[in-house]
Amino acid sequence: MRRFITSAFVIGIVCGGIIAALASRRVAYAAPVKPSEGLYINYSHHDTIDVIDFVTNKIVRTIQGIPGMHGMSFSPDGRWLYVGSDTEKMLIVVDLVTGKTIKTVPLRGPAHSTLAISKDGKRVFIGIWNSWSVKRPFAPPSGGSLEVFDTTKLEIVKSIPTKSALHDIELTPDGKYVVAGSPEANSITVVDVQTGQVAWEVSLDGGILTMAVEAGPDGSTRRIFATNSSFNGFDVVDFAKRQVVGKIMLPETDTFKAYPQSHEEGDSPSHGLGIAPDKKTLWANSRWGDAVFVYSLPDLKLLGHVDVGKLPVWIAFSPDNKKVYDGNSKGQSLSVIDAKTLKEVTRIPLESNPGRFFADGALP
């Protein structure tokens, strides 16, 4: 009996030491610094958001009850998620600690755009597509607007009229301007964040879809890159000159060449642009080519491309710059790309075709 007690005592000490040692080790993935940390995916025609873990590439959370999603934006502290709904014509405020909707705010029209939040987190800008029609996405111009939402008052405090419907909007790197693109008016409108006034506009030769905004060496805005509904590539707009200074045509893959001429209405050849967190590369989707092309910045030299799933529609990055995510809008999947090797390392199956997705997390 005494031997048994002694052995048990020794085993207890050993096990306790092992547990203590394991507890003192640094875990591979700690709890999120922000409630919002992860890749948030919406499905446009569903009411759920799936959250992908940056490390495991697994769905770790699902938020339900958010209808007609399109654009999203996070508060600087990661506590709040702002979601634009085009079908319900409203802005939805979600508490990311509980996953519950705390406020729904009616809008002037469908929020068929990305959202932009000011640097201080006090204002959210929402692009309105007043002429949105499911059967005819590019309807005749009927006017749009840029709505300004006060995150303290939880209400719309200003409406900035635009010539036509807005597709996507971006905040400039210095936080001074909101850049809004219109597929109907073939134009980009630049709005001063502080005054809420239109600073300038530039016309292009096709509908403006997705955009990315580049900072110069001093942090000011240097260029706007914008996918154009009229060709497989993107326009380059010089911010200081306020004019188009170049066009980049994406190479035609075999898939692109075989793509049916009678494609789906509104299915533009290129959709999806993104600048990597380290600001060294620009990634551009060829929707018809089932590929994403990579260009160096600032010289826009083609570095290569990655074949992904069918009809890639959106791009996002992990905060550590190691992974690129490309959504396959006809493949119910998300391609995960190694940013260094330019190889697709895995393809995450999803419950439906992804719409748009947005990354938030603690930067290294």
Side-chain angles (χ1 to χ4, degrees):
M1 181 69 175
R2 180 179 296 172
R3 181 180 300 172
F4 175 78
I5 295 172
T6 302
S7 298
F9 180 76
V10 171
I11 292 171
I13 293 175
V14 172
C15 290
I18 292 173
I19 293 170
L22 288 174
S24 66
R25 289 184 183 178
R26 188 170 183 170
V27 296
Y29 183 64
V33 176
K34 298 179 178 181
S36 60
E37 189 167 325
L39 186 72
Y40 282 60
I41 302 172
N42 74 46
Y43 298 102
S44 297
H45 301 297
H46 292 251
D47 66 350
T48 59
I49 297 172
D50 281 332
V51 185
I52 302 288
D53 183 285
F54 290 128
V55 177
T56 65
N57 293 323
K58 302 292 185 182
I59 296 174
V60 293
R61 186 183 189 188
T62 297
I63 299 173
Q64 298 179 325
I66 317 293
M69 296 166 286
H70 217 72
M72 300 183 203
S73 188
F74 304 93
S75 62
D77 62 1
R79 174 64 188 270
W80 311 107
L81 175 66
Y82 306 100
V83 185
S85 171
D86 60 354
T87 60
E88 304 302 314
K89 301 179 182 179
M90 64 185 180
L91 180 71
I92 303 165
V93 183
V94 180
D95 182 338
L96 286 177
V97 173
T98 64
K100 303 296 184 181
T101 295
I102 66 159
K103 182 79 172 181
T104 59
V105 182
L107 299 172
R108 297 167 64 91
H112 188 78
S113 76
T114 48
L115 306 183
I117 189 166
S118 60
K119 293 281 189 178
D120 59 11
K122 293 181 179 180
R123 284 162 293 175
V124 176
F125 298 87
I126 311 116
I128 300 300
W129 187 309
N130 281 336
S131 63
W132 171 256
S133 166
V134 174
K135 294 183 178 180
R136 194 178 177 208
F138 300 129
S142 64
S145 63
L146 185 65
E147 304 295 289
V148 184
F149 175 77
D150 187 302
T151 60
T152 302
K153 297 178 180 179
L154 295 182
E155 61 184 37
I156 300 294
V157 293
K158 188 178 182 64
S159 181
I160 305 167
T162 56
K163 293 179 180 178
S164 63
L166 300 180
H167 184 277
D168 276 350
I169 60 176
E170 300 287 339
L171 186 73
T172 58
D174 57 14
K176 293 181 178 180
Y177 300 94
V178 170
V179 178
S182 173
E184 296 180 337
N186 298 349
S187 65
I188 294 174
T189 301
V190 178
V191 175
D192 187 297
V193 168
Q194 291 302 318
T195 66
Q197 301 298 315
V198 175
W200 54 275
E201 294 180 313
V202 59
S203 296
L204 296 92
D205 62 359
I208 306 305
L209 301 174
T210 56
M211 298 182 294
V213 186
E214 177 196 34
D218 62 354
S220 63
T221 304
R222 175 159 56 189
R223 291 180 293 189
I224 302 170
F225 306 109
T227 54
N228 188 315
S229 62
S230 66
F231 70 96
N232 182 44
F234 56 91
D235 287 302
V236 182
V237 176
D238 186 294
F239 198 83
K241 294 180 180 179
R242 304 182 178 183
Q243 65 184 36
V244 178
V245 294
K247 283 183 175 294
I248 302 296
M249 301 292 295
L250 302 182
E252 295 184 1
T253 63
D254 290 339
T255 302
F256 182 93
K257 295 174 182 177
Y259 197 85
Q261 295 300 312
S262 57
H263 58 273
E264 181 180 339
E265 187 177 9
D267 184 11
S268 59
S270 181
H271 191 287
L273 281 174
I275 295 175
D278 64 5
K279 315 304 180 187
K280 294 180 180 179
T281 52
L282 172 70
W283 297 65
N285 276 339
S286 173
R287 184 190 265 176
W288 295 0
D290 293 347
V292 57
F293 290 85
V294 190
Y295 294 84
S296 60
L297 291 174
D299 57 357
L300 290 176
K301 177 183 178 182
L302 180 62
L303 300 178
H305 82 278
V306 184
D307 293 324
V308 291
K310 188 171 178 59
L311 291 181
V313 71
W314 201 250
I315 295 171
F317 305 88
S318 61
D320 62 7
N321 207 75
K322 293 181 179 179
K323 296 177 182 178
V324 183
Y325 301 90
D326 210 322
N328 306 310
S329 65
K330 296 295 182 183
Q332 294 189 201
S333 65
L334 188 74
S335 292
V336 183
I337 301 165
D338 185 302
K340 185 176 181 180
T341 64
L342 303 187
K343 300 292 184 183
E344 183 186 51
V345 294
T346 190
R347 194 171 292 182
I348 303 171
L350 301 172
E351 68 172 76
S352 183
N353 292 321
R356 303 187 179 197
F357 39 92
F358 302 87
D360 195 49
L363 292 172

